[in-house]
Amino acid sequence: MVGESAGVDSTVVEDWKEKLPHITAGYAPEDIYNMDESGLFYRTTTNKTLATKGQQCSGGKQAKDRLTLVLCANMAGGKEKPLIIGKSENPRCFKNIDRPSLPVTYTNNAKAWMTSDLFKNWLKKLDQKMGRQGRKILLLLDNAPSHPDVALNHIELKFFPPNTTSRLQPMDQGIIQTVKLKYRKRQLRRILQELENDKEATGTQAAKRLTVLQAIQFVGAAWRETTPETIQKCFRKAGFNETPADTETESASTEPSGDAGMEQLAQDLFGCNFADLAEIDQDLATCETEARDWDKDATVLLQELQETGDQEESDEEDEVEASPSKVPNLNSLVSLMKDIKILCAEEGLGELLNVFDQADDMLSNVWNQRRLAGKQTTIEQFFKSK
């Protein structure tokens, strides 16, 4: 399932592509979906990434810095809300956060892995959504152990042949790579900002300050910026309506870092070029791949289960506290927003000014609602309401 490209059987690949028109027959491009998971070291540096490439990363210190990213899109370029799987049920940085407003759906388990139960819950919600829209879709998946074949009302599941997803799965043709590089760009920009504000901090220290909430926001922005055209080309590269002129997909690896300091920081923290950052966690397992031998002696099984339990118990969430806001209240934020808009106008940042103008409107609405909610009711209003 990971690191499999060298072992792909070309005969199986060609046979699948020949059958693909029959498999997708009756489905419009908007109704042909692919979903895949990918591990993400969201704030870690060299000692915990390159050193663990190809390993399971099931527990211990490594797992604290990892998330599982679940992406789903259709052949026409339509995107579903990403699913993020973390370790902690309630990360400290989620305090007072309205979870439905997040750009992703967040869930958790002890190893930050996809499980059969999480997969079925995700499928059920997608099936209900398609039912409300009156749609029937085809969902293509790899044959991971965490992907059981489930009978659904509005979704037909179809699994790729074993050990072929590096060639046949659209997500593996550049979609996940694009999202990860856009994530890394934001991560490095945040680290550079931290280093500007704290001259004594090292890059590693700044990287460890990244919270799950910030990582989620980065993933949401990266997914939002991934264009329908990129997704469409990746589907074509995987053999969906493939034509000779359309087999070239946008290379996410050529996306410029845009900053010499960012390129150097990629070398210092991750030991690679910016263009290679999407690959540092590509072999990171996203589910249990080794089945337990339940025919072993009971004493041996008990000892293995105890060791696993001890590891997970000691592997408590290593979440950093979000830095307290330097803006004391909502009134101060309103004033700060006005200053930001003036600065944007003076610096000629017209596009950014438009963004902050929209944000200012939203902030003004929130401020007014809070003001009205906190206003004391007069005695006349009290009796009128009765």
Side-chain angles (χ1 to χ4, degrees):
M1 290 178 297
V2 291
E4 65 184 20
S5 57
V8 175
D9 188 332
S10 298
T11 303
V12 176
V13 170
E14 294 306 318
D15 182 60
W16 168 270
K17 289 185 176 182
E18 288 179 7
K19 294 178 180 178
L20 198 53
H22 301 287
I23 293 172
T24 59
Y27 290 98
E30 294 81 3
D31 296 326
I32 300 173
Y33 281 79
N34 175 219
M35 181 276 265
D36 192 26
E37 303 96 342
S38 184
L40 176 68
F41 285 118
Y42 71 94
R43 67 181 178 192
T44 192
T45 52
T46 304
N47 291 337
K48 299 175 194 170
T49 53
L50 303 183
T52 62
K53 188 174 182 179
Q55 296 180 8
Q56 291 292 312
C57 184
S58 59
K61 187 68 177 176
Q62 299 166 4
K64 295 179 181 179
D65 287 336
R66 68 154 294 164
L67 299 169
T68 292
L69 170 62
V70 183
L71 298 177
C72 181
N74 63 40
M75 186 175 166
K79 298 175 286 189
E80 295 299 316
K81 192 173 185 178
L83 174 68
I84 295 290
I85 306 171
K87 279 180 54 61
S88 176
E89 181 178 1
N90 294 297
R92 296 174 188 172
C93 56
F94 276 22
K95 185 178 180 181
N96 299 325
I97 293 296
D98 179 30
R99 293 200 184 192
S101 67
L102 293 174
V104 308
T105 301
Y106 179 84
T107 187
N108 75 290
N109 66 37
K111 297 182 179 180
W113 277 358
M114 174 63 85
T115 65
S116 295
D117 287 340
L118 291 180
F119 174 72
K120 286 187 282 190
N121 288 337
W122 179 85
L123 266 185
K124 181 179 178 181
K125 293 178 181 178
L126 182 63
D127 189 58
Q128 292 171 345
K129 176 182 176 179
M130 296 305 160
R132 290 192 297 270
Q133 296 177 357
R135 298 169 62 189
K136 174 82 173 182
I137 69 169
L138 175 67
L139 179 61
L140 295 117
L141 306 158
D142 61 38
N143 60 342
S146 58
H147 295 168
D149 195 356
V150 182
L152 300 159
N153 295 322
H154 305 281
I155 301 176
E156 178 187 356
L157 299 182
K158 190 68 177 179
F159 296 89
F160 294 105
N163 303 321
T164 60
T165 55
S166 63
R167 294 273 299 278
L168 296 178
Q169 181 158 238
M171 286 291 168
D172 288 336
Q173 306 311 309
I175 298 174
I176 290 175
Q177 182 189 30
T178 297
V179 172
K180 282 193 173 183
L181 276 180
K182 291 180 182 296
Y183 174 91
R184 295 298 177 194
K185 180 181 287 188
R186 284 173 169 77
Q187 179 191 24
L188 292 182
R189 281 177 179 168
R190 177 58 58 89
I191 293 172
L192 286 173
Q193 291 169 357
E194 290 279 349
L195 296 177
E196 283 292 322
N197 294 330
D198 185 355
K199 301 295 185 181
E200 297 182 359
T202 65
T204 301
Q205 291 171 336
K208 290 181 178 179
R209 295 172 185 171
L210 188 71
T211 67
V212 172
L213 180 60
Q214 290 170 333
I216 283 174
Q217 291 167 336
F218 292 169
V219 169
W223 188 231
R224 185 172 61 250
E225 289 181 2
T226 302
T227 65
E229 291 75 21
T230 296
I231 295 172
Q232 292 165 4
K233 289 179 180 180
C234 290
F235 267 84
R236 288 195 287 270
K237 187 178 180 183
F240 292 75
N241 288 346
E242 184 175 358
T243 61
D246 287 329
T247 54
E248 291 294 328
T249 184
E250 294 179 19
S251 177
S253 63
T254 61
E255 181 174 333
S257 62
D259 191 315
M262 192 180 294
E263 186 71 35
Q264 183 60 49
L265 195 57
Q267 286 285 355
D268 293 342
L269 295 182
F270 298 99
C272 62
N273 297 324
F274 177 83
D276 299 325
L277 283 181
E279 300 179 4
I280 61 174
D281 43 23
Q282 67 176 357
D283 290 337
L284 185 57
T286 57
C287 68
E288 183 68 71
T289 57
E290 296 181 3
R292 190 178 299 278
D293 183 5
W294 295 102
D295 293 328
K296 288 183 180 179
D297 181 82
T299 305
V300 176
L301 280 174
L302 185 61
Q303 182 177 356
E304 290 180 354
L305 292 170
Q306 181 64 46
E307 289 174 355
T308 302
D310 290 343
Q311 180 189 47
E312 293 178 2
E313 184 177 351
S314 63
D315 190 21
E316 295 178 358
E317 181 66 21
D318 189 24
E319 181 62 76
V320 297
E321 289 277 9
S323 301
S325 172
K326 296 181 180 180
V327 182
N329 52 49
L330 205 58
N331 289 337
S332 298
L333 183 57
V334 171
S335 299
L336 179 60
M337 187 67 75
K338 293 178 180 177
D339 292 337
I340 292 174
K341 289 167 61 179
I342 292 172
L343 178 62
C344 288
E346 291 176 346
E347 295 291 335
L349 304 174
E351 187 174 347
L352 192 59
L353 175 60
N354 291 334
V355 172
F356 278 112
D357 196 44
Q358 295 175 16
D360 192 24
D361 287 341
M362 296 173 62
L363 179 60
S364 296
N365 289 334
V366 171
W367 177 84
N368 193 48
Q369 290 170 5
R370 296 273 185 91
R371 184 181 62 84
L372 293 175
K375 206 170 191 179
Q376 186 173 0
T377 306
T378 64
I379 191 167
E380 291 85 358
Q381 291 172 326
F382 176 79
F383 283 111
K384 283 181 181 179
S385 64
K386 294 293 185 178

